[in-house]
Amino acid sequence: MKTHARAVVIGGGVVGVGTLYHLAHKGWTDSVLLERKELTSGSTWHAAGLLPLFNLSYSVGQLHKYSVKLYKSLQEETGQHVGFSQVSNIRLACTQDRMDEYRYYAGIARTIGVDVRFLTPDQVQDIWPLARMDGVIGAIQHPDDGYIQPADLTQAMARGARQLGADIHRNTEVTGVTQLPGGEWLVTTPNGDIRCEHLVFATGNFARKTGAMVGLDIPVIPVEHQYLVTEPHPDIQARRQQGLPEMGVLRESDASYYMREENGGLLLGPYETGAPCCYLNGPDPASEYELFQPDLDRLLPHIEAAIARVPAFAEVGIKRVYNGAIPYTPDGSPIVGPAWDKRNLWLNEGHSFGITASGGAGWQLAEWIVNGEPSIDMMGVDPRRFGAYAGAGYVRQKTEEAYRKVFTVHFPDEERGAARPLRRAPCYDRLKAEGAVFGSIFGWERAGWFAPPGYALDDAEIRRPEVLLNKPHDEPAAGEKPRERWSFRRSNYFPHVGRECLHVRDAAGLLDMTPFAKYAVQGRGAEAWLNHVFANRMPRKVGGLALCHMLTPAGGVRAEATIFRQGEQDFYLVMAGGQERHDWDYLQKLAPQDGSVQLQKITTQLGVSVLAGPRARDILQTLTDTDLSGTAFPWLTGKPISIGHAQALALRVNFVGELGWELHHPIEMQNTIFDLLMQAGAPFGLRPFGIKAMDSLRLEKSYRVVGREMSVEYSAFETGLDRFVRMEKPDFIGKNGLAARQGNAANRFVTMQVHGVADADARGSEPVVLNGELIGRTTSGGYGWRVEKSLALAMVRPDLGEPGAELEVVILGVPHRATVIAESPYDSDNLRLKQ
Ligand SMILES: Cc1cc2nc3c(=O)[nH]c(=O)nc-3n(C[C@H](O)[C@H](O)[C@H](O)COP(=O)(O)OP(=O)(O)OC[C@H]3O[C@@H](n4cnc5c(N)ncnc54)[C@H](O)[C@@H]3O)c2cc1C
């Protein structure tokens, strides 16, 4: 075995081999893969081999699309048969919500170039004559989809990697990894040690064990998954003999199973409720080609549903049941990207559809490792989208939930209930008493909207269609009634959110934003370093505030921060709560090592209450001696103030476009401040509002959000952040990249008014078209209550983004006329927030 390699990949399942293959293709032929047993002896060998393109995550959708394309060419490249059967994949819909999901998905698919077709029940019947169409109202078909032989696929990529010079060592268990003082990794195995510059973990069910070697708590726990294969059925055999095509993969989403032909019989794979986590402490050291005892009771409801749909299924015996472990993460998407807190350590773990994703994940990870950045927005799979809150107990509950919800309708406003509440701001109970309906972000409970006293949905409003998956909504907690119905359309909370928006416009609202991530940056080099890390200039004066963006070297947008200058070399950074680990990781890795800058994460030390609306000043002024007038306390400044007998750092900034302050206070004073504000605000009509109202209010100001309008795929200029980018600064990360891209933008940020909306606003990821041609995609959308317009933010072809341009936005399959309008349709001169 070599003693040195450019990169070492640990794990010889389909995912590790896919990574090695792509590293070799990127020119890192001096890479090595180490597998403790045989290739594919983990989860890979027993996978059903399906390649579902369907995925509502932009990142995962891109990975799957790439994989399917790659797998078609592998045999030709490597000479290894991969058994790709492009038999297409049909997903049935038995409910209107399901059809909406497909319509929404079809929009996403169009924007990323995946072919999806809608079928009528009759058309499905033609393709699948063995199936009955009772209750089916429609279907979608992926013609490019199908299945593959997972072991052959893995061997093909292994051969491809070896052909380019990469090495694979089987029966070589990694027993330890250590980062050497120079940054290299020392990988220890019984067959010798190997040093490398970059190390990749792709260890499937062993992820937690592997993570423990370097002190990382990787949020992956496997869940048992079963599929069964029947004896051959004469009708299917007859079809073969007649030379008829395979019927393809059939997914009855509303009954939570997939089915396809297998050797003249059928293969059925349900996603059951009650499937347990496994390997809680990792698989046994001897584990290899391991399967668990089948649990047919758990499969029974799905078998019955499958028989009702395909009666032939009941006419043949079950040949074999496979019950194996699938790695899962709390949200069901894999973990692909850099490990937090470590340099040159990469994770390709948590793959629950690893056969489908391995090509794409290997492709993007190799780009990230070799080029320094992925070429598509990987936020949906970034390992740092979870935080330290995701310990084993949390992950266990969430992975079981992710598994049983594989086939539920993935409503865009779905708020899953497992492992909640976890992180609660002190004012949680007070908000709850005010009627808050909570969602969760990064483990925090966050008020989405406020229901009127006594408000609850009756049973008829929570539609329970007669399908197996008839409980898409979690049961409310004991003693509570459901108050929220998830939907792709305007839902029951729509008018209540509207009331909150108008109240913020007319009086004042209070929003808890405690989940904001908060950092202190101090030290003699603080200002210079921040000016290097962010594209904007740091506020010149103590007490000044600036909106700043962290860019990629190519000029894409990685993160956004509100930066307050507290002292000469003392800065306070407020950043997206959901990105805390991601942003903190970059800050830490970029920080100088010479002691000139000290970084501190202070998220949980401080709560944040946002007071906004025309009466905000009147309310706050009753509680403080600080002069809050526009001249004494102008927009984009901040200062410490007292609030009654409590205190806070008041920042004159907010995300809703009204007069207001963000009050950053010691967390232990939160309830005191909450009570003081609510009491003082009562005569002015102060009421709490939620994050859904904030999202509508920010749309009307064309405020961008990371992960939507701002992403590594779009340059800061494309996103229209020009006024926050100081090209005249001598240097900042992304400056050269931006300079190189100047004048050749591929996209342009626009705000659009969408016409003719009845009950479904844009949400983001809808296609934007002109004369039938795709010319962009929406990034956000919703109803603007203050401007009384349905709005969409979008990235479109630059020449089509002038205000006045007439385009179309396709919402749930229906094209709507959309006019590009000037930015910030509400209070475009910012008079209200500056007053
Ligand atoms: C019943 C079933 C059906 C499935 N069907 C499908 C399907 O149809 N489509 C689909 O896309 N996915 C399917 N899956 C999921 C798929 O099997 C997994 O997502 C995929 O195999 C994960 O691949 P992996 O490489 O991450 O993990 P694995 O295949 O488990 O590989 C990890 C490897 O790492 C090795 N390893 C661990 N620790 C070390 C160490 N310290 N040193 C050296 N080596 C180490 C292990 O020995 C193992 O070989 C199915 C899974 C199951 C259980």
Side-chain angles (χ1 to χ4, degrees), residues 9-17 33-52 64 147 150 169 172-176 189 202-207 209-210 213 223-227 251 258 260 271 287-288 291 322-327 348-358:
V9 179
I10 308 178
V14 70
V15 172
V17 175
L33 183 144
L34 305 174
E35 163 56 47
R36 51 186 272 286
K37 299 283 185 186
E38 290 294 335
L39 296 185
T40 78
S41 64
S43 273
T44 298
W45 75 277
H46 50 53
L50 302 166
L51 303 173
H64 287 191
Y147 61 91
H169 296 280
T172 306
E173 178 170 7
V174 173
T175 50
T189 84
T203 56
N205 300 316
F206 291 77
K209 271 191 170 178
T210 325
M213 288 188 203
V223 182
E224 285 183 25
H225 175 57
Q226 313 183 76
Y227 68 85
R251 283 189 153 81
Y258 55 81
R260 68 168 169 86
Y271 281 84
S287 169
E288 187 180 12
L291 290 174
Y322 293 80
N323 184 7
I326 303 192
N348 204 352
E349 299 280 18
H351 282 272
S352 50
F353 287 91
I355 312 304
T356 322
S358 75

Side-chain angles (χ1 to χ4, degrees), residues 54 56 101 405-412 414 416 488:
F54 180 89
L56 287 157
E101 181 186 48
K405 288 192 175 250
V406 161
F407 271 116
T408 53
V409 176
H410 297 301
F411 293 103
E414 177 185 22
R416 295 185 172 183
F488 289 83

Side-chain angles (χ1 to χ4, degrees), residues 531-555:
N531 269 325
H532 166 70
V533 171
F534 289 93
N536 203 348
R537 192 185 295 288
M538 290 307 109
R540 288 183 195 278
K541 290 189 194 154
V542 172
L545 269 171
L547 189 65
C548 305
H549 299 88
M550 199 195 291
L551 307 186
T552 66

Side-chain angles (χ1 to χ4, degrees), residues 163-212:
Q163 281 168 352
L164 292 169
D167 287 341
I168 295 178
H169 296 280
R170 296 172 291 128
N171 299 309
T172 306
E173 178 170 7
V174 173
T175 50
V177 294
T178 321
Q179 194 153 30
L180 301 171
E184 274 194 326
W185 288 96
L186 180 69
V187 180
T188 311
T189 84
N191 304 339
D193 296 350
I194 180 163
R195 285 170 180 238
C196 60
E197 293 168 34
H198 290 263
L199 181 60
V200 182
F201 290 175
T203 56
N205 300 316
F206 291 77
R208 293 188 78 76
K209 271 191 170 178
T210 325

Side-chain angles (χ1 to χ4, degrees), residues 57-67 111-112 360 363 376 713:
S57 152
Y58 174 78
S59 310
V60 180
Q62 294 272 23
L63 303 187
H64 287 191
K65 176 186 139 193
Y66 172 90
S67 292
T111 62
I112 64 175
W363 161 56
I376 63 167
E713 279 186 43

Side-chain angles (χ1 to χ4, degrees), residues 308-353:
R309 180 67 59 213
V310 182
F313 190 82
E315 295 160 9
V316 277
I318 292 175
K319 193 160 78 179
R320 184 155 184 201
V321 181
Y322 293 80
N323 184 7
I326 303 192
Y328 260 86
T329 64
D331 62 7
S333 289
I335 282 180
V336 188
W340 59 96
D341 298 347
K342 309 280 172 201
R343 286 178 201 274
N344 299 340
L345 177 62
W346 305 86
L347 305 182
N348 204 352
E349 299 280 18
H351 282 272
S352 50
F353 287 91

